[in-house]
RNA sequence: GCCAGAGUGGCGGAAUUGGCAGACGCGUACGGCUUAGGACCGUAUGUCCGAGAGGACUUGUGGGUUCGACUCCCACCUCUGGCACCA
C-alpha cells in the first residue's frame, strides 16, 4: 500500500501558501543566504525533468539552511522575452504576451507542484513593463557612461573631459564615441527571401531549407564590454566557480601579452602597426600579412596587383565570418606588390593580404614568422616565402617550431637576442622596441564588444529617439518604460527592421524636451538583457522608485549560491558580470561580483541514454512522474541519481526505488489506519542505534553542505533499513530522522511531523546536532595484509596498543598459514585500519 | 587541432589525507507471506576455479613510485563539454 501522497502533497502546498511560510524579509539578527536558480524561459512545451534537478538541489539547501537559522532568499521568475514566442505569434497572430502568460501559468503550476520553497511574493517577469522599465533604465545608465582608463572605472558621461574648440557636431560625435553603448556598422545574417535578419541559431535551419543567408552591414547598438576585459578576467580569481567554467570564461576573454611594433612602408612615410605575442621572433619575420579589410591596403597595392587584390577583397567580403573561419581549408592570400622593412633585420619584406588574418583582432596586421608559427609556416610553404630559424630546437624542414627555445640568427648593430631563452628574449626585444620608439608592450583580448541590437518585436525597446538631424537622444528617465506597442503583425518589416518599424504611430514621436519630431529606435534588446540583472530585482521586486533599494541590496548581495545549466557558462554569466560591474562603478551596488558560488547541474538524459528529445520519443514529463509517484519521490530520485554536476540517464525503475523507500519511511512511523505506530515509544536508544543515528546526522549534514545529495539519501536508506522493523522505535529517533529527511521530502515529513505530535510546520525546526563522541565505534575490524594481499580480518578494540596488536596478528591462524617457512621483514601498522606484513 | 572534465559489476553510482574496491539503489535468482500479486518481507548476487575451506583475477590500456594505488607520476586509448586561423 502506497502512502497517501495525493492527499498529503496538495495539503501542505496549500498550507505553505496560506501561511507564506517561505516569505523572506530582511532581518539583521540572522545571517543571510541568497540562493538563486537560473530562471527559465517559459516555453510552450512546459517543464522537462532537467529543470527540477537544479531547483530541487537549491530547495534542499535552502530548507536545510533555514533550519540552521539562516535568513534565506530563494526566488523564482520568468525570462520571457525571446524568439520562440515571437515566431509562434507570426504563425498564429496571437500576441506573444498572451502565449507568454499561458506558458508562465503552466510553468508555475508545474514548479509549485514540486513543493519548492520559493518566496512567490518576489516573482518577476522580464516582459512585465514594471520590470523592463528598469532594464531600460540600466541601459540608459550604460549609455550615459564612459570608461575612465585612468581610474579604471565607468563614470557618468557628464564627467567626460572634453577637448577644447570643438564644434557642436564634433562635441556630439566625441561624446558618442565614448559612451559604453554606441552605434557601429556590424554584419548581420540577412536572408533576402524572408526579408529579415536571422539569429545565429536560425541560420542553419533556414539554409537547410534552401534559403540564402548573406552578410549585410547594419548600424547596430554595441556595448563596450571590452573596456571591462581586464577586470572581468582578473576578478575570476575571487569566484568559487567550477574550474572548467572559469577556464571557459578566461578563454573567451582571451588575454594575451605581447608587443606592438611599427613596420615602415617602403616608398611612403606611413607605417603599419603589427601585434605579436612573440616579439622574440621578429628577426624571423620574412613577410607581412594584412587583413583584407585593412585600411592601408589601397595605399600599398601597386597598380599591377590592383586587380587581383580588389578581387580577393571582394571575395573575402562575401564570405560570412563562419565561412572564413569554420571551413578550415587551405590558406589563401595575394601579394600587394608593396614592401615594408623588418625593423630588426632592416631588410625589405613583401606585404600580402590574406583572410587568415582577422581585421578585428590586434591591429589587423601581422609580421609573419613562418619558422615559429604554424599558420605562417603553412602559408609560406604554399607561396614559397622564405623561412628563417631564429629559435633553435626544431626542424624547420618539417614543421614550424612554436615552443620556447634559445634564440639564434637574432642580432643587428643595436641588439642581440642570440643565446637568450624565449622569455628573456621577449623582454629584451620589447625593451629595444621601446627604446627605439618602434613599438611597445601590449596586452590584447579576444573579447569583442557586445552586439546588443536585435531586429525583433518581442524584446525590450530602446529608450532612444532619432532626431531629424540624425542624432540620437536618450529619453529622460521620467518617460520610462517605453512600452512595446500592440501590432497586427509580428513579421519583420522586410527592410531588415523589426515589426516595430511598421507601427507608424509608435515610431513617430516627439522629443519630449523640445517638442520637435523624432523617430523611435526600432531595434530591441537581446534576451540576455533581462537576465543580466534579474538577481538584483528579486531583492526589491515591487520598488517603483528604484531598480533596487540600496540597503536591501547591501543586506542580500552577493548571491551565495547560483545553480543552473552549463550552457550559460560563458555568455549569460559574462554579460551579467559586466552589467554588475558597470552598476558597481556608478555607485549602485556594493559588491564587485554578483555570484559568489556557482554550480552547474548536469544534463538528464532519456532512459535510453540519449539526449531527451521529442524525435527520440524519450522525453519524461514531470506531470506524469508526480501523478504516479508524487512530488517527494520525484525530488528524491532527481537527487539520488548521482552527483548534481554529472550527466546521467533517467530511470523509471529508479523512481520506483526511491518511492518504495518513502513508503518504508511512512510504514516505519504510521500504521495501516494512519495513526502513529504503537512501536514508537518514549524510550532511550541502544548504544548501537544511537551510534547509527549520530552517524546519520553527521553524514547527512556534511553531505548537504557539500551538495552531495545522493550519498545523503543512501545514509537515510541505511537508517530506515535498520529501524523499519524494530519492535521498539524511540520517539526521539523518529523525530530526528524526519527532520533529516524534511529538506528532501518536505510534504511527507510535514505530515509525519504532525503525526508525531507537532502543531508547527517543520520548516523552521532546528536542524539536529550530532555528538562526535556518539558516532565513535568501540571495535574495528583489523585487516591483515601479507605482501599487499588481504589474508585475515578480525575484530579488535579501538585504539589497541601496537605491540599487543602485532602479537595478536602473528598469533592469528590465517596469518600463520601464510607465514609458513618465511621471514617477516617489516610490519606496517595503520591505526584502527590494518597491519601490513612484508615477508620473504 | 587546442583547452577542461570523466572512464569502477548486468545498470545508476559509493569509497577523508594512498589503507578491506563495489556502500545505497536498480535488476536478477531463490525462499516466505498470500486466493492471487508486477504489493510486502527475507537471503544471495564483481568474474573465474573449487562440493567446501580457500584461491586467482578485477576500477579504460601499458608502465612507474610504494609494505600498500580507483586515488600519486609518465605515456596512450575512448567518451562528454567548450573553443576553433585571435598572431
Amino acid at each position: 500500500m502506497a502512502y497517501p501522497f495525493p492527499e498529503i502533497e496538495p495539503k501542505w502546498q496549500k498550507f505553505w501558501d496560506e501561511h507564506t511560510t517561505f516569505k523572506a524579509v530582511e532581518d539583521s539578527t540572522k545571517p543571510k543566504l541568497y540562493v538563486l536558480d537560473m530562471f527559465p524561459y517559459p516555453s510552450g512545451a512546459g517543464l522537462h525533468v532537467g529543470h527540477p534537478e537544479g531547483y530541487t538541489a537549491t530547495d534542499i539547501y535552502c530548507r536545510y539552511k533555514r533550519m540552521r537559522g539562516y535568513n534565506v532568499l530563494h526566488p523564482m521568475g520568468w525570462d520571457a522575452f525571446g524568439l520562440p514566442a515571437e515566431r509562434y505569434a507570426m504563425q498564429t497572430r496571437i500576441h506573444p504576451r498572451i502565449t507568454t502568460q499561458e506558458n508562465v501559468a503552466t510553468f508555475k503550476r508545474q514548479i509549485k507542484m514540486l513543493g519548492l520553497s520559493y518566496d512567490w511574493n518576489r516573482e518577476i517577469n522580464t516582459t512585465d513593463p514594471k520590470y523592463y522599465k528598469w532594464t531600460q533604465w540600466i541601459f540608459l545608465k550604460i549609455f550615459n557612461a564612459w570608461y575612465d582608463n585612468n581610474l579604471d572605472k565607468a563614470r557618468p558621461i557628464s564627467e567626460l573631459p572634453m577637448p577644447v574648440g570643438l564644434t557642436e557636431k564634433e562635441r556630439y560625435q566625441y561624446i558618442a564615441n565614448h559612451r559604453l553603448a554606441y552605434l557601429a556598422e556590424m554584419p548581420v545574417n540577412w536572408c533576402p527571401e524572408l526579408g529579415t535578419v536571422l539569429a545565429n541559431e536560425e541560420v542553419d535551419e533556414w539554409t537547410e531549407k534552401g534559403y540564402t543567408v548573406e552578410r549585410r552591414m547594419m548600424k547596430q547598438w554595441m556595448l563596450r564590454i571590452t573596456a571591462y576585459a581586464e577586470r572581468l578576467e582578473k576578478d575570476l580569481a575571487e569566484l568559487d566557480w567550477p574550474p572548467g567554467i572559469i577556464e571557459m570564461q578566461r578563454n573567451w576573454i582571451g588575454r594575451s601579452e605581447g608587443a606592438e611594433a611599427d613596420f615602415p612602408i617602403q616608398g611612403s612615410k606611413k607605417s603599419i602597426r603589427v601585434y605579436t605575442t612573440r616579439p622574440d621572433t621578429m628577426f624571423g619575420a620574412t613577410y607581412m600579412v594584412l587583413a583584407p579589410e585593412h585600411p592601408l591596403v589601397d595605399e600599398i597595392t601597386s597598380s599591377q596587383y590592383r586587380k587581383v587584390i580588389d578581387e580577393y577583397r571582394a571575395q573575402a567580403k562575401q564570405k560570412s565570418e563562419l565561412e572564413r573561419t569554420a571551413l578550415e581549408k587551405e590558406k589563401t592570400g595575394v601579394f600587394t606588390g608593396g614592401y615594408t622593412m623588418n625593423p630588426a633585420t632592416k631588410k625589405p619584406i613583401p606585404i600580402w593580404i590574406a583572410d587568415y588574418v582577422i581585421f578585428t583582432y590586434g591591429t589587423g596586421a601581422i609580421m609573419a614568422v613562418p619558422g615559429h608559427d604554424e599558420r605562417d609556416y603553412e602559408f609560406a610553404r604554399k607561396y614559397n616565402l622564405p623561412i628563417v630559424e631564429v629559435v633553435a630546437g626544431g626542424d624547420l624542414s618539417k614543421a614550424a617550431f612554436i615552443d620556447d627555445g634559445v634564440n639564434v640568427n637574432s642580432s643587428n648593430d643595436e641588439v642581440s637576442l642570440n643565446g637568450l631563452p624565449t622569455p628573456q628574449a621577449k623582454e629584451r626585444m620589447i625593451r629595444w622596441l621601446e627604446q627605439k620608439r618602434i613599438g611597445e608592450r601590449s596586452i590584447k583580448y579576444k573579447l569583442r564588444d557586445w552586439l546588443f541590437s536585435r531586429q525583433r518585436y518581442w524584446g525590450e525597446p530602446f529608450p532612444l529617439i532619432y532626431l531629424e538631424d540624425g542624432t540620437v537622444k536618450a529619453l529622460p528617465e521620467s518617460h520610462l518604460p517605453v512600452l512595446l506597442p500592440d501590432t497586427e503583425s509580428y513579421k519583420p518589416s522586410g527592410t531588415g527592421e523589426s515589426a516595430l518599424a511598421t507601427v507608424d504611430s509608435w515610431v513617430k514621436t516627439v522629443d519630449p524636451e523640445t517638442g520637435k519630431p523624432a523617430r523611435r529606435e526600432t531595434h530591441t534588446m537581446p534576451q540576455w538583457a533581462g537576465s543580466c540583472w534579474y538577481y538584483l530585482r528579486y531583492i526589491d521586486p515591487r520598488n517603483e522608485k528604484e531598480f533596487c533599494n540600496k540597503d536591501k541590496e547591501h543586506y542580500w548581495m552577493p548571491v551565495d549560491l547560483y545553480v543552473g545549466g552549463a550552457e550559460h557558462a560563458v555568455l549569460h554569466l559574462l554579460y551579467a558580470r559586466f552589467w554588475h560591474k558597470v552598476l558597481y562603478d556608478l555607485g549602485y551596488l556594493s559588491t564587485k561580483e554578483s555570484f559568489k558560488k556557482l554550480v552547474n547541474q548536469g544534463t538528464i538524459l532519456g532512459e535510453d541514454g540519449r539526449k531527451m528529445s521529442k524525435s527520440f520519443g524519450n522525453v519524461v514529463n514531470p506531470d506524469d512522474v508526480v501523478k504516479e509517484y508524487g512530488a517527494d519521490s520525484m525530488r528524491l530520485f532527481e537527487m539520488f541519481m548521482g552527483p548534481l554536476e554529472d550527466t546521467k540517464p533517467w530511470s523509471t525503475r529508479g523512481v520506483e526505488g526511491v518511492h518504495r523507500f518513502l513508503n518504508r519511511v511512512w510504514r516505519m512511523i504510521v500504521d495501516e489506519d494512519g495513526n502513529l505506530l504503537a512501536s514508537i515509544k518514549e524510550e532511550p536508544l541502544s548504544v548501537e542505534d544511537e551510534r547509527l543515528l549520530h552517524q546519520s546526522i553527521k553524514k547527512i549534514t556534511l553531505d548537504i553542505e557539500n551538495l552531495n545529495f545522493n550519498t545523503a539519501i543512501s545514509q537515510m536508506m541505511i537508517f530506515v533499513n535498520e529501524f523499519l522493523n524494530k519492535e521498539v522505535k524511540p520517539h526521539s529517533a523518529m523525530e530526528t530522522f524526519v527532520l533529516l529527511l524534511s529538506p528532501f521530502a518536505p510534504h511527507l515529513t510535514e505530515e509525519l511531523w504532525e503525526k508525531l505530535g507537532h502543531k508547527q510546520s517543520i520548516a523552521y525546526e532546528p536542524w539536529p546536532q550530532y555528538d562526535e563522541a556518539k558516532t565513535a565505534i568501540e571495535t574495528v575490524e583489523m585487516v591483515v595484509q601479507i605482501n599487499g594481499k588481504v589474508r585475515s580480518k578480525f575484530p579488535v578494540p579501538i585504539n589497541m596498543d601496537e605491540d599487543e596488536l602485532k602479537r595478536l596478528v602473528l598469533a592469528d591462524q590465517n596469518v600463520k598459514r601464510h607465514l609458513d617457512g618465511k621471514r617477516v621483514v617489516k610490519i606496517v601498522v595503520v591505526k584502527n585500519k590494518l597491519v601490513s606484513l612484508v615477508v620473504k
Side-chain angles (χ1 to χ4, degrees):
Chain A
M1 181 200 73
Y3 77 98
F5 63 84
E7 286 104 69
I8 293 176
E9 293 183 350
K11 169 182 164 185
W12 289 102
Q13 284 166 17
K14 193 163 161 246
F15 176 95
W16 297 325
D17 263 350
E18 284 172 356
H19 292 77
T20 57
T21 307
F22 304 112
K23 189 176 161 74
V25 180
E26 294 73 33
D27 177 355
S28 59
T29 64
K30 284 181 172 179
K32 72 91 185 179
L33 189 79
Y34 187 177
V35 179
L36 182 66
D37 290 303
M38 286 185 189
F39 66 163
Y41 173 76
S43 71
L47 217 60
H48 59 80
V49 291
H51 286 115
E53 191 190 11
Y55 301 163
T56 305
T58 52
D59 191 60
I60 291 168
Y61 192 69
C62 287
R63 285 175 181 271
Y64 160 76
K65 285 289 186 179
R66 285 192 199 99
M67 295 170 80
R68 301 283 318 238
Y70 283 82
N71 191 28
V72 174
L73 176 58
H74 189 40
M76 180 45 77
W78 318 105
D79 188 15
F81 275 128
L83 211 45
E86 175 163 332
R87 294 177 75 177
Y88 187 73
M90 285 183 219
Q91 290 158 16
T92 62
R93 300 203 153 228
I94 299 171
H95 197 293
R97 193 193 313 115
I98 309 291
T99 47
T100 299
Q101 270 167 8
E102 287 169 0
N103 293 349
V104 164
T106 305
F107 264 67
K108 191 168 175 181
R109 175 186 63 74
Q110 290 181 304
I111 287 178
K112 291 201 88 162
M113 110 195 144
L114 294 169
L116 301 165
S117 64
Y118 294 117
D119 177 357
W120 286 106
N121 289 308
R122 293 172 185 263
E123 179 181 354
I124 56 165
N125 183 327
T126 55
T127 65
D128 181 348
K130 289 190 183 117
Y131 181 90
Y132 72 68
K133 169 183 176 174
W134 296 105
T135 310
Q136 292 171 338
W137 181 87
I138 295 172
F139 173 80
L140 286 183
K141 290 294 153 197
I142 296 170
F143 179 78
N144 285 319
W146 63 289
Y147 202 83
D148 184 337
N149 285 312
N150 296 322
L151 296 182
D152 208 11
K153 62 180 265 195
R155 294 171 63 187
I157 202 78
S158 56
E159 296 172 11
L160 178 67
M162 296 297 295
V164 287
L166 296 185
T167 66
E168 200 173 320
K169 210 172 167 190
E170 285 167 342
R171 267 182 71 87
Y172 170 83
Q173 204 51 52
Y174 185 84
I175 293 171
N177 289 344
H178 283 81
R179 293 181 188 276
L180 293 186
Y182 62 95
L183 278 170
E185 287 275 352
M186 293 300 286
V188 293
N189 307 309
W190 171 253
C191 178
E193 291 96 328
L194 292 168
T196 183
V197 173
L198 297 178
N200 283 333
E201 59 267 30
E202 289 179 303
V203 171
D204 282 346
E205 185 189 331
W206 289 101
T207 46
E208 270 165 29
K209 289 182 191 167
Y211 289 69
T212 50
V213 177
E214 60 191 44
R215 207 149 79 121
R216 178 172 168 178
M217 299 306 274
M218 192 178 259
K219 273 216 165 175
Q220 314 225 45
W221 287 103
M222 305 291 292
L223 298 191
R224 209 180 294 281
I225 190 173
T226 50
Y228 283 84
E230 191 186 338
R231 284 164 63 191
L232 286 168
E233 127 102 36
K234 205 177 68 205
D235 291 345
L236 285 170
E238 61 189 60
L239 298 174
D240 181 9
W241 287 16
I245 303 295
I246 300 245
E247 200 51 34
M248 279 163 70
Q249 291 231 339
R250 208 160 256 150
N251 291 341
W252 193 264
I253 296 165
R255 181 191 148 96
S256 69
E257 288 179 25
E260 288 180 36
D262 290 320
F263 282 53
I265 302 170
Q266 292 222 324
S268 161
K269 290 221 166 79
K270 290 190 179 162
S271 59
I272 301 169
R273 177 151 276 231
V274 302
Y275 173 69
T276 176
T277 54
R278 292 294 300 272
D280 58 304
T281 62
M282 190 175 280
F283 284 92
T286 54
Y287 64 102
M288 172 182 270
V289 186
L290 307 186
E293 302 91 335
H294 198 286
L296 288 173
V297 173
D298 269 331
E299 201 168 326
I300 291 159
T301 305
S302 57
S303 51
Q304 75 223 71
Y305 292 96
R306 175 81 48 201
K307 204 171 155 222
V308 245
I309 288 287
D310 285 350
E311 271 169 20
Y312 188 83
R313 297 179 88 186
Q315 225 175 48
K317 206 171 183 173
Q318 279 309 94
K319 291 191 219 168
S320 70
E321 190 123 349
L322 271 169
E323 280 175 302
R324 265 178 72 166
T325 57
L327 277 175
E328 202 179 316
K329 50 166 198 195
E330 219 176 272
K331 296 191 185 1
T332 59
V334 277
F335 179 46
T336 60
Y339 285 84
T340 177
M341 186 196 77
N342 181 330
T345 61
K346 316 273 198 243
K347 285 184 192 154
I349 57 174
I351 305 172
W352 288 60
I353 65 170
D355 64 8
Y356 82 90
V357 172
I358 298 165
F359 180 55
T360 46
Y361 180 76
T363 59
I366 62 158
M367 60 173 210
V369 185
H372 306 285
D373 181 284
E374 281 169 341
R375 297 152 299 182
D376 298 345
Y377 186 86
E378 188 192 329
F379 193 79
R381 271 287 159 99
K382 182 173 175 187
Y383 293 106
N384 277 316
L385 292 155
I387 300 170
V388 176
E389 181 179 60
V390 292
V391 182
D395 177 1
L396 298 192
S397 67
K398 292 203 178 75
F401 177 68
I402 57 168
D403 296 339
D404 283 9
V406 173
N407 271 69
V408 293
N409 300 326
S410 301
S411 70
N412 59 28
D413 297 346
E414 295 155 345
V415 65
S416 172
L417 310 178
N418 290 335
L420 290 179
T422 301
Q424 282 95 308
K426 282 182 183 169
E427 286 306 310
R428 182 79 196 84
M429 196 61 190
I430 291 172
R431 220 174 336 130
W432 180 72
L433 289 172
E434 287 179 346
Q435 272 163 16
K436 299 290 291 180
R437 311 232 163 169
I438 297 168
E440 68 263 332
R441 184 184 305 279
S442 169
I443 292 165
K444 298 280 179 204
Y445 297 90
K446 283 193 224 173
L447 184 68
R448 312 291 170 81
D449 278 340
W450 176 10
L451 198 160
F452 197 68
S453 284
R454 296 292 183 271
Q455 290 69 43
R456 294 287 165 189
Y457 169 78
W458 193 230
E460 299 88 346
F462 283 80
L464 299 174
I465 52 171
Y466 291 89
L467 304 181
E468 281 183 319
D469 64 359
T471 59
V472 180
K473 196 167 174 181
L475 288 167
E477 285 174 21
S478 58
H479 281 244
L480 301 183
V482 176
L483 295 171
L484 268 178
D486 284 339
T487 169
E488 288 297 301
S489 160
Y490 304 93
K491 286 205 171 60
S493 67
T495 61
E497 287 184 282
S498 75
L500 287 177
T502 64
V503 188
D504 228 37
S505 57
W506 182 80
V507 174
K508 283 189 187 153
T509 182
V510 292
D511 178 349
E513 282 167 2
T514 63
K516 286 183 182 167
R519 295 175 63 81
R520 290 188 194 277
E521 173 59 87
T522 63
H523 294 173
T524 50
M525 299 186 199
Q527 199 181 350
W528 307 114
S531 61
C532 262
W533 72 283
Y534 74 112
Y535 59 96
L536 296 167
R537 190 59 177 171
Y538 282 138
I539 288 171
D540 196 7
R542 306 284 165 254
N543 194 331
E544 299 203 345
K545 298 206 173 63
E546 302 163 280
F547 76 103
C548 173
N549 173 273
K550 214 166 174 174
D551 292 337
K552 291 182 179 175
E553 185 274 333
H554 201 265
Y555 178 78
W556 288 112
M557 283 302 286
V559 173
D560 295 282
L561 175 64
Y562 192 26
V563 176
E567 64 272 22
H568 297 114
V570 178
L571 295 181
H572 160 62
L573 289 168
L574 197 67
Y575 293 154
R577 292 179 62 217
F578 162 49
W579 277 35
H580 191 94
K581 285 185 187 301
V582 176
L583 291 171
Y584 171 78
D585 285 353
L586 298 176
Y588 293 103
L589 298 178
S590 60
T591 64
K592 278 203 295 197
E593 286 287 337
S594 26
F595 314 118
K596 201 158 91 185
K597 183 179 168 78
L598 175 76
V599 173
N600 291 123
Q601 88 261 18
T603 319
I604 296 184
L605 303 172
E607 198 131 26
D608 52 6
R610 292 186 293 182
K611 203 165 227 162
M612 272 196 201
S613 132
K614 258 189 228 159
S615 56
F616 294 144
N618 60 357
V619 178
V620 178
N621 181 343
D623 286 306
D624 299 338
V625 180
V626 170
K627 185 155 179 265
E628 186 92 5
Y629 304 101
D632 285 335
S633 294
M634 166 103 188
R635 293 168 57 107
L636 209 63
F637 177 65
E638 294 239 0
M639 296 299 100
F640 187 61
M641 290 168 84
L644 184 58
E645 300 88 338
D646 287 7
T647 300
K648 45 211 177 279
W650 185 262
S651 158
T652 304
R653 299 272 198 198
V655 188
E656 285 169 4
V658 293
H659 182 64
R660 224 169 313 186
F661 164 68
L662 291 181
N663 276 319
R664 286 154 69 83
V665 171
W666 180 262
R667 288 205 313 271
M668 179 171 75
I669 294 171
V670 179
D671 69 16
E672 301 213 347
D673 304 319
N675 299 315
L676 204 61
L677 274 175
S679 58
I680 296 178
K681 294 180 182 143
E682 303 281 356
E683 292 216 13
L685 282 155
S686 70
V687 178
E688 293 79 31
D689 290 346
E690 187 171 55
R691 184 182 309 131
L692 177 60
L693 182 67
H694 282 261
Q695 282 172 341
S696 297
I697 300 171
K698 181 178 178 181
K699 173 130 187 75
I700 292 161
T701 304
L702 294 177
D703 281 348
I704 296 176
E705 288 283 354
N706 296 314
L707 311 180
N708 293 329
F709 303 117
N710 53 332
T711 49
I713 294 166
S714 295
Q715 186 62 37
M716 292 190 257
M717 288 173 168
I718 292 170
F719 182 93
V720 173
N721 287 346
E722 184 60 33
F723 274 82
L724 178 61
N725 292 319
K726 278 199 188 297
E727 308 229 323
V728 176
K729 297 166 200 155
H731 196 272
S732 66
M734 292 301 104
E735 287 202 341
T736 303
F737 176 79
V738 169
L739 289 166
L740 294 174
L741 178 61
S742 69
F744 296 80
H747 310 89
L748 170 64
T749 49
E750 286 276 20
E751 187 73 16
L752 291 174
W753 192 244
E754 192 178 64
K755 289 197 186 293
L756 284 163
H758 298 276
K759 298 276 183 292
Q760 297 268 315
S761 162
I762 199 170
Y764 291 91
E765 288 297 319
W767 185 252
Q769 301 292 311
Y770 62 91
D771 181 347
E772 189 70 53
K774 288 181 178 161
T775 66
I777 38 174
E778 292 131 23
T779 53
V780 287
E781 184 145 62
M782 190 53 59
V783 173
V784 186
Q785 290 184 353
I786 298 173
N787 287 346
K789 289 192 196 297
V790 178
R791 293 302 185 189
S792 183
K793 306 176 186 184
F794 49 85
V796 299
I798 198 158
N799 297 333
M800 191 186 212
D801 176 76
E802 255 191 47
D803 290 334
E804 166 119 27
L805 183 62
K806 283 181 189 170
R807 220 172 305 132
L808 240 118
V809 165
L810 293 171
D812 182 75
Q813 283 306 316
N814 285 322
V815 173
K816 274 185 172 166
R817 201 155 49 81
H818 286 276
L819 287 184
D820 193 33
K822 288 173 187 149
R823 188 167 55 91
V824 178
V825 180
K826 189 174 174 187
I827 303 181
V828 181
V829 178
V830 182
K831 203 178 173 192
N832 295 330
K833 295 254 167 155
L834 59 75
V835 178
S836 182
L837 305 179
V838 188
V839 301
K840 272 187 180 161

